[in-house]
Amino acid sequence: MPEDGDDAGDVFDAAADDDVADDDEVDLPFTEEVPGPEADEPEDGDGPAASLTTALPGTDDVGELSAEAAAAIGAADVDAAVARGEAVAGARPSSGIPAQGRRSKGARAASEATSTRTEEEAEVKPEPEPIADEELRAALEAILLVVDEPVAEMQLAQIMEQPTERVGVMLEDISARYTAAGHGFDLRRAAGGWRLYTRPEYAPYVERFVLDGQSVRLTQAALETLAVVAYKQPVTRSRISAIRGVNCDGVMRTLNTRGLIEECGTEGETGAFLYRTTALFLEKLGLNSVDQLPPLAPFLPDDVEEVLDASG
């Protein structure tokens, strides 16, 4: 401390002159300043930034930092960032390899939702473009000309990629047009589907062309047996034989082989097989269901009750 009356500035200047000569070169120690947080660091010299500008223990040379010093610096940076509330996404300071940040649950859920929505959009098929009425009518007619059995409206709608309701309305319109134009063929429902048929008034000409020695016709016994099955189905073989008055085992085998009748279960009391007509039967007769069969009353004899009593 300067004595009383001495100027403090003169004392410091004298001390400086004693330590260093005017013509001597002065080598000041240099330490490399490591960049760190600047905006929020305290200025009193107590924070991590102040420690970076001074020589740290463990440095190999002036201006170079050892691994331990670098680790200390990295730890100081992390502590400062945590104190400021910032997210730390780094690696261990000693490894030098940056660590990958962890995805939050919200980001992962959003990614999964986006992926699911993308898959759903990929699965949605574009709606088919509507077809003009003229093109739809012509296409349906072309298909109906090559089918060998009645085809359902749903199947036609799938082929045409059009609503089933529109296809059904179009088929009705085609049938009405054929009738109004007086064509020799007709489009009508049969066996749950649609098929082209010749009109009954032209049957003699068709028979003359098709049945002229080229097909085997059913015998009278087969026709009678088929009629009993059609009107009494489901019915057992013994019941058919009782109605006809003769054994019908051979005729039943013939009708079953030709696909006109089929088994449809057993009778609960006797265990005998039950028989019914098939879709082929409806197709051959041009019927949509057995409910369209003509009534039997006009064909029954007047004394039917007496005949039944006599046979009974």
Side-chain angles (χ1 to χ4, degrees), residues 247-263:
N247 187 288
C248 59
D249 291 347
V251 178
M252 291 290 290
R253 284 193 295 269
T254 300
L255 295 175
N256 192 13
T257 302
R258 295 193 178 186
L260 297 174
I261 63 173
E262 63 182 359
E263 296 179 1

Side-chain angles (χ1 to χ4, degrees), residues 231-250:
Y231 282 95
K232 304 293 290 185
Q233 59 183 319
V235 61
T236 62
R237 187 178 301 180
S238 60
R239 178 63 176 165
I240 298 172
S241 298
I243 294 175
R244 292 195 59 233
V246 294
N247 187 288
C248 59
D249 291 347

Side-chain angles (χ1 to χ4, degrees), residues 17-40:
D17 294 338
D18 293 339
D19 292 337
V20 181
D22 293 339
D23 54 352
D24 292 338
E25 294 181 0
V26 180
D27 294 332
L28 297 178
F30 172 77
T31 57
E32 183 179 358
E33 184 176 353
V34 180
E38 298 175 4
D40 298 332

